Every structure is written in C-alpha cells, then in structure tokens.
Amino acid sequence: MTPQVAILCSDTLQAQGLAAMLSNYFGIEATIAAPESNEVGDCGLYLVDAGTYASRPAFFLPRRGRTVIITDTPAAAPDCICSRQPLEDWLELLQRRIDGLSNVAAAAPSELSQRERDVLTLVASGLSNKAIADRLCISVNTVLTHRKNIVAKLGIRSISGLSLYALMHGYTIEH
Amino acid sequence: MLLITPETRIADTVIAHPEIITVLNRFGIDLGLGDNTLAGLCRVTDVNPEFLATILNTFLNRDYFPESRLRSFDISLIVRYLMMANNSYAHFHLPTIERHFGMMLAKDNGANNNLALMFGFFKELQAEIAGRIEDDSRLLAETKPLSHSQVQAMHNADALIEDKLLDLLTMMVKHLSGDYDRRLCQAVIMGIVGLRHDVVNNNRLRVRLLYPSIQAQSKI
C-alpha cells in the first residue's frame, strides 16, 4: 500500500521539489499543505522544514518518529536532513523511511494461529466453507475471515497452492 | 517509460530489456539485429511494424495499455499473436522450467520432499496451461460465438493460472526449506517469473480485446 506523505514547508519551491522527488523516484503522490494547516490528516510520513517544526511542537512531537526535519545547515540528528545534501542522500533517507513504513504495515505475525491451521487443514482436504464452519462450530463468515488471513500471511491464493503448503507442513486430517 | 516506435533501433532496446527477445522471436525476428530499426526488421519478416511496436510496448510497460490503438488493428492479428504466445509456452517456457526442475530433483536424489511436492504442483499447473492452450486452439481457430458464462469461465481460468504461477513463485521464495541446488533453483524461478509476466500481459489482451470481440460477434 502506498504510504501517505505530507509536506509542510514555507518555501514553495522546496515543497514542490520534494513532491516531484517523491513522485518521480517512488511513485508517491504527496500532499503539500500550508505550514500552519490543521487539516493534514494522519500520515505515515511528514516532511517539514525546521521553522514549521519548531512552531508547532504540539502537532509534531507526538509524530516525531514519522517526521523528517529539513534544515538549512548540516545536522547530525537522524531525523534531520540538510536541504543542501546531494540527491543520493535524500533518496536514501526517503527510501529508508518508506521501507520502514512498509515494514510496519507488514508487521502482522506471519505464522498461522492454531485456528487458521485448522481451517487450512480442512481447506486442503477439499471441504467447502459451510462444511468447515460446521466442523469447527463457527460461522461461515468467520471461516472466510480466517481464509483471508491465511492468504495474506502465506501469500498463496489458490486452493491447490494452499493444499501444497498444508502437505509441506504436515497439516493433514488425522482419521 | 520506454516506448518503442517503428523507427527505434531495436538492438539498443534488447540490450536494455532482453525479455523482449521472446516476443521478437514469435514474430520471426532473431538475434543478429545489427543497427536495424524495428520497421526495417519487420519489412524482412513481413510483420506490421505498428502492431509489433504496440505489442512490445504493452509487454514492456505494465501500466501501458493503449486500448483504442490495439482495437484499431484487425482482431486476427491479436489472435495470431496469442496463438504464437501459446506455442512458446508449450514448446519453450514450460519445457525449460520442467527441465531445470527435473535436474534440481535429480541432483537432490529425493532428499528434499518439498521439492518433489512443488514439482507436482508445477506439473499440475503445466497440465492446466496445456488444457487452456487446447481450448484456445478451438476457440481462436474457429472464433465461434461464446455465451457470457463461457467467457466468464475462460476469464476465471486465466486468473487461476496467474494465481497459481504466483503461488508457485511465492512457495519457492518464501516457503522452500531444506537443501537444493541454488543455481538450478534460480533458473526455475527466473523461468516462472518470465512465464508469469508473459501470461499476465497476454491475459490483458484476452480480457480487454479478445473476449469482448468474440462476445460482440455472437451478438451479430
């Protein structure tokens, strides 16, 4: 999923340049907002100049982990980057932040829960959703939710693919 | 985005994107391209250069699908191209993956049961693709009218093959365990990636051009 990025800079050229960089190199369409704007929604990343950051501590401090501060002079802090840094430094910093956002989004546990393993075992044995629901004494909607989670966790969509995974991991019905 | 035109010197593009060799081969264009433009090569092989450029562009650019331009070509060109693609799945892509998979299994000598299970999945998928190619041969050769439900079934079969190719890839990349020959495994993965790219691209042609055209015919 594309992360939401907001740019709050008093320098119009700087804001437009950052937006162009995000669009050209990362395919991200960032939102440019006025520095004093209160209408910036909850974003994954905020790019903000030092003046704006300092003027709105109540807004930015709780979002510090998601904020990159642009300074006019070289800064050593990890959350800061100097506007005069070369392009490759900017791209690396942005890539790291974007990767970080993706990793947070994907941080859901990838191991199947016991219930999901039960559902997978029954899917692999060819049972319908209704039959699985009856066997496990749960609703069909719950079965569908488990199946959706299984697909998301394993990255496998087809029934025969799920059956193969179940076989590989020894999830089979014990008669 | 890279766009090829009939005036493009095609060797430069192939060096940057060798995956288009498969498409060029389907149109009878072989390596040893020299400094020829696409139009020059098409003159020799009697291929419509505008059509080939459009097919190459849709093949290279996932987000590029010039539907009205593609509709401007005779549907028989699309049909012939899809038949050529089927031919290369049957005689090049699938046998190549099968050969590498087989070599990987032979080297492993049955020690890694996961590989044998994945090979079984591949064989099942191979049979499904072969079945679809047979269906295509009947459908595309006769271009006989199809009902909405028949088209929907073909559409579903296309999507299932895409899903299974991705499943096999995911299985190998995320869930493979035990010992295996790395180079052969990489060759299998590259083969699946290439085949899937081709299938996904050609499914766009099928779903957005071929099936609507067949349905339109059936309404006449």
Side-chain angles (χ1 to χ4, degrees):
Chain A
M1 203 171 118
T2 312
Q4 295 257 311
V5 179
I7 300 168
L8 294 95
C9 294
S10 52
D11 183 330
T12 306
L13 275 180
Q14 190 174 61
Q16 293 291 341
L18 280 169
M21 201 188 295
L22 285 162
S23 174
N24 292 342
Y25 290 96
F26 304 100
I28 293 173
E29 297 308 319
T31 304
I32 298 178
E36 68 281 1
S37 171
N38 288 318
E39 291 174 10
V40 183
D42 195 37
C43 294
L45 183 62
Y46 299 89
L47 301 176
V48 56
D49 62 39
T52 303
Y53 183 82
S55 68
R56 300 184 62 186
F59 181 83
F60 286 113
L61 281 177
R63 296 171 174 82
R64 185 157 188 176
R66 291 182 276 156
T67 303
V68 172
I69 305 159
I70 304 154
T71 58
D72 293 332
T73 52
D79 292 338
C80 298
I81 183 163
C82 174
S83 58
R84 283 178 282 172
Q85 291 287 103
L87 177 65
E88 55 268 27
D89 287 0
W90 272 96
L91 296 180
E92 187 182 332
L93 176 125
L94 290 172
Q95 186 66 66
R96 281 173 190 272
R97 286 312 194 100
I98 291 162
D99 286 348
L101 293 174
S102 308
N103 292 341
V104 168
S110 59
E111 287 206 358
L112 300 181
S113 67
Q114 182 55 49
R115 203 45 145 180
E116 286 162 351
R117 285 202 291 270
D118 296 340
V119 171
L120 175 60
T121 304
L122 296 172
V123 168
S125 67
L127 264 62
S128 66
N129 291 332
K130 172 78 173 64
I132 295 170
D134 290 346
R135 179 77 74 93
L136 299 177
C137 302
I138 54 179
S139 72
V140 172
N141 275 341
T142 308
V143 173
L144 290 173
T145 302
H146 284 312
R147 287 187 68 154
K148 204 171 133 193
N149 292 340
I150 291 166
V151 169
K153 285 182 179 179
L154 302 182
I156 300 170
R157 301 163 66 99
S158 66
I159 291 179
S160 49
L162 291 170
S163 302
L164 171 61
Y165 181 90
L167 259 178
M168 282 166 54
H169 290 80
Y171 302 152
T172 50
I173 293 180
E174 290 170 15
H175 295 284
Chain B
M1 184 170 70
L2 171 74
L3 281 182
I4 296 169
T5 70
E7 288 71 42
T8 301
R9 277 204 314 183
I10 208 69
D12 298 338
T13 313
V14 170
I15 288 168
H17 299 278
E19 63 271 25
I20 66 168
I21 293 172
T22 314
V23 180
L24 293 171
N25 287 168
R26 284 174 192 161
F27 286 89
I29 297 172
D30 293 318
L31 294 181
L33 299 164
D35 287 327
N36 289 303
T37 62
L38 186 65
L41 293 162
C42 285
R43 263 195 299 280
V44 177
T45 48
D46 196 22
V47 171
N48 179 336
E50 295 290 346
F51 179 67
L52 179 51
T54 310
I55 289 291
L56 286 169
N57 287 329
T58 57
F59 188 85
L60 273 173
N61 303 295
R62 201 178 55 177
D63 299 327
Y64 179 78
F65 194 81
E67 195 157 335
S68 56
R69 184 171 175 74
L70 280 161
R71 280 188 199 285
S72 72
F73 299 112
D74 193 299
I75 191 69
S76 66
L77 286 177
I78 305 276
V79 169
R80 210 174 309 148
Y81 174 67
L82 291 173
M83 297 284 261
M84 290 190 286
N86 277 346
N87 196 42
S88 70
Y89 299 158
H91 297 109
F92 171 66
H93 286 90
L94 290 166
T96 305
I97 298 169
E98 184 179 19
R99 191 168 63 249
H100 286 133
F101 227 136
M103 286 162 68
M104 190 161 59
L105 278 173
K107 271 202 153 187
D108 169 67
N109 212 12
N112 189 338
N113 189 42
N114 283 346
L115 284 180
L117 289 169
M118 286 183 191
F119 187 61
F121 184 82
F122 167 74
K123 292 295 287 180
E124 188 186 302
L125 177 56
Q126 188 178 25
E128 275 179 45
I129 296 174
R132 192 184 72 159
I133 291 173
E134 267 182 41
D135 290 345
D136 273 1
S137 302
R138 282 194 297 274
L139 167 76
L140 302 183
E142 298 168 16
T143 54
K144 63 179 184 185
L146 288 177
S147 67
H148 177 73
S149 61
Q150 283 174 306
V151 169
Q152 193 56 48
M154 306 251 343
H155 193 163
N156 291 345
D158 294 342
L160 188 61
I161 287 171
E162 281 185 29
D163 280 353
K164 286 190 173 181
L165 283 166
L166 185 58
D167 282 354
L168 183 55
L169 200 54
T170 304
M171 215 96 68
M172 300 197 75
V173 172
K174 284 183 78 175
H175 305 298
L176 183 62
S177 58
D179 292 330
Y180 57 88
D181 184 292
R182 288 177 183 168
R183 276 174 297 181
L184 287 169
C185 191
Q186 189 181 349
V188 170
I189 287 172
M190 296 307 286
I192 299 167
V193 168
L195 175 59
R196 183 166 184 276
H197 174 87
D198 213 303
V199 165
V200 168
N201 186 60
N202 287 338
N203 280 352
R204 292 197 298 175
L205 295 171
R206 298 163 73 93
V207 170
R208 289 167 71 172
L209 298 170
L210 181 67
Y211 298 156
S213 162
I214 292 173
Q215 279 189 296
Q217 272 187 352
S218 67
K219 284 177 188 160
I220 294 169

mmCIF file of all heavy atoms in Angstrom, chain B residues 90-115:
data_model
loop_
_atom_site.group_PDB
_atom_site.id
_atom_site.type_symbol
_atom_site.label_atom_id
_atom_site.label_comp_id
_atom_site.label_asym_id
_atom_site.label_seq_id
_atom_site.Cartn_x
_atom_site.Cartn_y
_atom_site.Cartn_z
ATOM 1 N N ALA B 90 4.112 -23.673 -24.709
ATOM 2 C CA ALA B 90 4.123 -25.139 -24.815
ATOM 3 C C ALA B 90 5.494 -25.689 -25.191
ATOM 4 O O ALA B 90 5.881 -26.759 -24.730
ATOM 5 C CB ALA B 90 3.080 -25.585 -25.835
ATOM 6 N N HIS B 91 6.222 -24.955 -26.036
ATOM 7 C CA HIS B 91 7.467 -25.529 -26.564
ATOM 8 C C HIS B 91 8.737 -24.889 -26.032
ATOM 9 O O HIS B 91 9.826 -25.353 -26.326
ATOM 10 C CB HIS B 91 7.458 -25.464 -28.103
ATOM 11 C CG HIS B 91 6.350 -26.277 -28.690
ATOM 12 N ND1 HIS B 91 5.250 -25.712 -29.282
ATOM 13 C CD2 HIS B 91 6.154 -27.618 -28.709
ATOM 14 C CE1 HIS B 91 4.422 -26.674 -29.666
ATOM 15 N NE2 HIS B 91 4.936 -27.832 -29.334
ATOM 16 N N PHE B 92 8.589 -23.805 -25.278
ATOM 17 C CA PHE B 92 9.798 -23.172 -24.735
ATOM 18 C C PHE B 92 9.707 -22.964 -23.216
ATOM 19 O O PHE B 92 10.469 -23.566 -22.458
ATOM 20 C CB PHE B 92 10.078 -21.841 -25.447
ATOM 21 C CG PHE B 92 11.167 -21.039 -24.799
ATOM 22 C CD1 PHE B 92 12.476 -21.497 -24.794
ATOM 23 C CD2 PHE B 92 10.886 -19.846 -24.145
ATOM 24 C CE1 PHE B 92 13.486 -20.781 -24.163
ATOM 25 C CE2 PHE B 92 11.887 -19.116 -23.514
ATOM 26 C CZ PHE B 92 13.188 -19.583 -23.524
ATOM 27 N N HIS B 93 8.758 -22.120 -22.781
ATOM 28 C CA HIS B 93 8.718 -21.757 -21.354
ATOM 29 C C HIS B 93 8.532 -22.974 -20.441
ATOM 30 O O HIS B 93 9.347 -23.216 -19.539
ATOM 31 C CB HIS B 93 7.581 -20.765 -21.085
ATOM 32 C CG HIS B 93 7.851 -19.384 -21.582
ATOM 33 N ND1 HIS B 93 7.505 -18.961 -22.846
ATOM 34 C CD2 HIS B 93 8.434 -18.315 -20.996
ATOM 35 C CE1 HIS B 93 7.857 -17.708 -23.006
ATOM 36 N NE2 HIS B 93 8.426 -17.279 -21.900
ATOM 37 N N LEU B 94 7.442 -23.707 -20.662
ATOM 38 C CA LEU B 94 7.136 -24.818 -19.749
ATOM 39 C C LEU B 94 8.193 -25.922 -19.810
ATOM 40 O O LEU B 94 8.651 -26.386 -18.759
ATOM 41 C CB LEU B 94 5.728 -25.362 -20.037
ATOM 42 C CG LEU B 94 4.595 -24.411 -19.632
ATOM 43 C CD1 LEU B 94 3.260 -24.839 -20.233
ATOM 44 C CD2 LEU B 94 4.469 -24.324 -18.109
ATOM 45 N N PRO B 95 8.632 -26.351 -21.008
ATOM 46 C CA PRO B 95 9.678 -27.389 -21.030
ATOM 47 C C PRO B 95 10.979 -26.936 -20.370
ATOM 48 O O PRO B 95 11.674 -27.737 -19.745
ATOM 49 C CB PRO B 95 9.894 -27.645 -22.528
ATOM 50 C CG PRO B 95 8.631 -27.209 -23.181
ATOM 51 C CD PRO B 95 8.133 -26.070 -22.365
ATOM 52 N N THR B 96 11.303 -25.640 -20.505
ATOM 53 C CA THR B 96 12.545 -25.146 -19.888
ATOM 54 C C THR B 96 12.444 -25.217 -18.364
ATOM 55 O O THR B 96 13.369 -25.674 -17.687
ATOM 56 C CB THR B 96 12.834 -23.689 -20.324
ATOM 57 O OG1 THR B 96 12.848 -23.655 -21.742
ATOM 58 C CG2 THR B 96 14.160 -23.198 -19.787
ATOM 59 N N ILE B 97 11.309 -24.756 -17.835
ATOM 60 C CA ILE B 97 11.123 -24.820 -16.370
ATOM 61 C C ILE B 97 11.141 -26.287 -15.924
ATOM 62 O O ILE B 97 11.791 -26.640 -14.928
ATOM 63 C CB ILE B 97 9.789 -24.149 -15.948
ATOM 64 C CG1 ILE B 97 9.787 -22.666 -16.314
ATOM 65 C CG2 ILE B 97 9.552 -24.313 -14.450
ATOM 66 C CD1 ILE B 97 8.432 -21.989 -16.175
ATOM 67 N N GLU B 98 10.444 -27.130 -16.682
ATOM 68 C CA GLU B 98 10.371 -28.559 -16.323
ATOM 69 C C GLU B 98 11.766 -29.191 -16.313
ATOM 70 O O GLU B 98 12.111 -29.961 -15.413
ATOM 71 C CB GLU B 98 9.465 -29.290 -17.308
ATOM 72 C CG GLU B 98 9.258 -30.749 -16.940
ATOM 73 C CD GLU B 98 8.328 -31.458 -17.911
ATOM 74 O OE1 GLU B 98 8.131 -30.967 -19.042
ATOM 75 O OE2 GLU B 98 7.814 -32.516 -17.529
ATOM 76 N N ARG B 99 12.563 -28.834 -17.325
ATOM 77 C CA ARG B 99 13.911 -29.422 -17.411
ATOM 78 C C ARG B 99 14.758 -29.011 -16.198
ATOM 79 O O ARG B 99 15.407 -29.838 -15.561
ATOM 80 C CB ARG B 99 14.584 -28.972 -18.716
ATOM 81 C CG ARG B 99 15.860 -29.739 -19.031
ATOM 82 C CD ARG B 99 16.366 -29.499 -20.435
ATOM 83 N NE ARG B 99 16.734 -28.113 -20.694
ATOM 84 C CZ ARG B 99 16.056 -27.304 -21.518
ATOM 85 N NH1 ARG B 99 14.987 -27.724 -22.152
ATOM 86 N NH2 ARG B 99 16.452 -26.061 -21.697
ATOM 87 N N HIS B 100 14.714 -27.712 -15.868
ATOM 88 C CA HIS B 100 15.510 -27.241 -14.729
ATOM 89 C C HIS B 100 15.012 -27.843 -13.418
ATOM 90 O O HIS B 100 15.802 -28.224 -12.555
ATOM 91 C CB HIS B 100 15.487 -25.710 -14.659
ATOM 92 C CG HIS B 100 16.336 -25.069 -15.702
ATOM 93 N ND1 HIS B 100 15.914 -24.023 -16.487
ATOM 94 C CD2 HIS B 100 17.590 -25.339 -16.114
ATOM 95 C CE1 HIS B 100 16.868 -23.667 -17.324
ATOM 96 N NE2 HIS B 100 17.898 -24.458 -17.116
ATOM 97 N N PHE B 101 13.686 -27.922 -13.295
ATOM 98 C CA PHE B 101 13.102 -28.518 -12.094
ATOM 99 C C PHE B 101 13.540 -29.978 -11.985
ATOM 100 O O PHE B 101 13.946 -30.462 -10.909
ATOM 101 C CB PHE B 101 11.572 -28.447 -12.166
ATOM 102 C CG PHE B 101 10.917 -27.945 -10.907
ATOM 103 C CD1 PHE B 101 9.887 -27.011 -10.964
ATOM 104 C CD2 PHE B 101 11.311 -28.415 -9.661
ATOM 105 C CE1 PHE B 101 9.279 -26.539 -9.823
ATOM 106 C CE2 PHE B 101 10.698 -27.942 -8.513
ATOM 107 C CZ PHE B 101 9.683 -27.008 -8.598
ATOM 108 N N GLY B 102 13.474 -30.684 -13.119
ATOM 109 C CA GLY B 102 13.851 -32.097 -13.146
ATOM 110 C C GLY B 102 15.313 -32.288 -12.759
ATOM 111 O O GLY B 102 15.661 -33.194 -11.993
ATOM 112 N N MET B 103 16.171 -31.407 -13.274
ATOM 113 C CA MET B 103 17.600 -31.500 -12.941
ATOM 114 C C MET B 103 17.806 -31.248 -11.450
ATOM 115 O O MET B 103 18.631 -31.893 -10.798
ATOM 116 C CB MET B 103 18.398 -30.482 -13.770
ATOM 117 C CG MET B 103 18.551 -30.864 -15.238
ATOM 118 S SD MET B 103 19.031 -29.468 -16.292
ATOM 119 C CE MET B 103 20.679 -29.151 -15.724
ATOM 120 N N MET B 104 17.022 -30.294 -10.907
ATOM 121 C CA MET B 104 17.155 -29.969 -9.482
ATOM 122 C C MET B 104 16.742 -31.193 -8.641
ATOM 123 O O MET B 104 17.409 -31.537 -7.668
ATOM 124 C CB MET B 104 16.272 -28.759 -9.156
ATOM 125 C CG MET B 104 16.488 -28.185 -7.786
ATOM 126 S SD MET B 104 15.874 -26.508 -7.618
ATOM 127 C CE MET B 104 14.154 -26.653 -7.986
ATOM 128 N N LEU B 105 15.663 -31.843 -9.049
ATOM 129 C CA LEU B 105 15.203 -33.034 -8.327
ATOM 130 C C LEU B 105 16.215 -34.167 -8.437
ATOM 131 O O LEU B 105 16.478 -34.872 -7.462
ATOM 132 C CB LEU B 105 13.860 -33.502 -8.897
ATOM 133 C CG LEU B 105 12.615 -32.777 -8.400
ATOM 134 C CD1 LEU B 105 11.391 -33.238 -9.183
ATOM 135 C CD2 LEU B 105 12.405 -33.042 -6.917
ATOM 136 N N ALA B 106 16.780 -34.333 -9.652
ATOM 137 C CA ALA B 106 17.734 -35.418 -9.863
ATOM 138 C C ALA B 106 18.966 -35.221 -8.985
ATOM 139 O O ALA B 106 19.497 -36.169 -8.413
ATOM 140 C CB ALA B 106 18.123 -35.474 -11.335
ATOM 141 N N LYS B 107 19.414 -33.969 -8.885
ATOM 142 C CA LYS B 107 20.590 -33.677 -8.052
ATOM 143 C C LYS B 107 20.303 -33.941 -6.591
ATOM 144 O O LYS B 107 21.152 -34.367 -5.829
ATOM 145 C CB LYS B 107 20.988 -32.204 -8.228
ATOM 146 C CG LYS B 107 21.956 -31.975 -9.361
ATOM 147 C CD LYS B 107 22.694 -30.669 -9.135
ATOM 148 C CE LYS B 107 24.047 -30.717 -9.796
ATOM 149 N NZ LYS B 107 24.860 -29.556 -9.473
ATOM 150 N N ASP B 108 19.050 -33.645 -6.209
ATOM 151 C CA ASP B 108 18.660 -33.762 -4.809
ATOM 152 C C ASP B 108 18.474 -35.228 -4.404
ATOM 153 O O ASP B 108 18.596 -35.576 -3.235
ATOM 154 C CB ASP B 108 17.341 -32.987 -4.635
ATOM 155 C CG ASP B 108 16.683 -33.234 -3.320
ATOM 156 O OD1 ASP B 108 17.259 -32.808 -2.324
ATOM 157 O OD2 ASP B 108 15.622 -33.881 -3.287
ATOM 158 N N ASN B 109 18.181 -36.058 -5.410
ATOM 159 C CA ASN B 109 18.045 -37.504 -5.187
ATOM 160 C C ASN B 109 16.985 -37.855 -4.136
ATOM 161 O O ASN B 109 17.163 -38.761 -3.335
ATOM 162 C CB ASN B 109 19.417 -38.077 -4.784
ATOM 163 C CG ASN B 109 19.569 -39.493 -5.284
ATOM 164 O OD1 ASN B 109 18.755 -39.948 -6.098
ATOM 165 N ND2 ASN B 109 20.577 -40.189 -4.810
ATOM 166 N N GLY B 110 15.908 -37.083 -4.132
ATOM 167 C CA GLY B 110 14.777 -37.401 -3.250
ATOM 168 C C GLY B 110 14.939 -36.986 -1.804
ATOM 169 O O GLY B 110 14.079 -37.295 -0.973
ATOM 170 N N ALA B 111 16.040 -36.287 -1.486
ATOM 171 C CA ALA B 111 16.284 -35.934 -0.081
ATOM 172 C C ALA B 111 15.342 -34.831 0.398
ATOM 173 O O ALA B 111 14.963 -34.798 1.564
ATOM 174 C CB ALA B 111 17.735 -35.504 0.099
ATOM 175 N N ASN B 112 14.981 -33.909 -0.515
ATOM 176 C CA ASN B 112 14.125 -32.790 -0.105
ATOM 177 C C ASN B 112 12.709 -33.031 -0.619
ATOM 178 O O ASN B 112 12.406 -32.789 -1.788
ATOM 179 C CB ASN B 112 14.693 -31.473 -0.660
ATOM 180 C CG ASN B 112 13.987 -30.259 -0.091
ATOM 181 O OD1 ASN B 112 12.853 -30.359 0.389
ATOM 182 N ND2 ASN B 112 14.651 -29.119 -0.134
ATOM 183 N N ASN B 113 11.851 -33.446 0.280
ATOM 184 C CA ASN B 113 10.486 -33.798 -0.119
ATOM 185 C C ASN B 113 9.706 -32.582 -0.623
ATOM 186 O O ASN B 113 8.827 -32.698 -1.473
ATOM 187 C CB ASN B 113 9.764 -34.440 1.079
ATOM 188 C CG ASN B 113 8.434 -35.018 0.660
ATOM 189 O OD1 ASN B 113 8.340 -35.640 -0.397
ATOM 190 N ND2 ASN B 113 7.408 -34.802 1.451
ATOM 191 N N ASN B 114 10.043 -31.385 -0.099
ATOM 192 C CA ASN B 114 9.347 -30.170 -0.531
ATOM 193 C C ASN B 114 9.499 -29.922 -2.024
ATOM 194 O O ASN B 114 8.576 -29.468 -2.691
ATOM 195 C CB ASN B 114 9.894 -28.947 0.223
ATOM 196 C CG ASN B 114 9.358 -28.893 1.632
ATOM 197 O OD1 ASN B 114 8.404 -29.590 1.957
ATOM 198 N ND2 ASN B 114 9.987 -28.086 2.471
ATOM 199 N N LEU B 115 10.698 -30.226 -2.529
ATOM 200 C CA LEU B 115 10.942 -30.010 -3.958
ATOM 201 C C LEU B 115 10.033 -30.900 -4.792
ATOM 202 O O LEU B 115 9.469 -30.462 -5.797
ATOM 203 C CB LEU B 115 12.406 -30.317 -4.307
ATOM 204 C CG LEU B 115 13.446 -29.282 -3.916
ATOM 205 C CD1 LEU B 115 14.824 -29.769 -4.337
ATOM 206 C CD2 LEU B 115 13.149 -27.942 -4.566
#
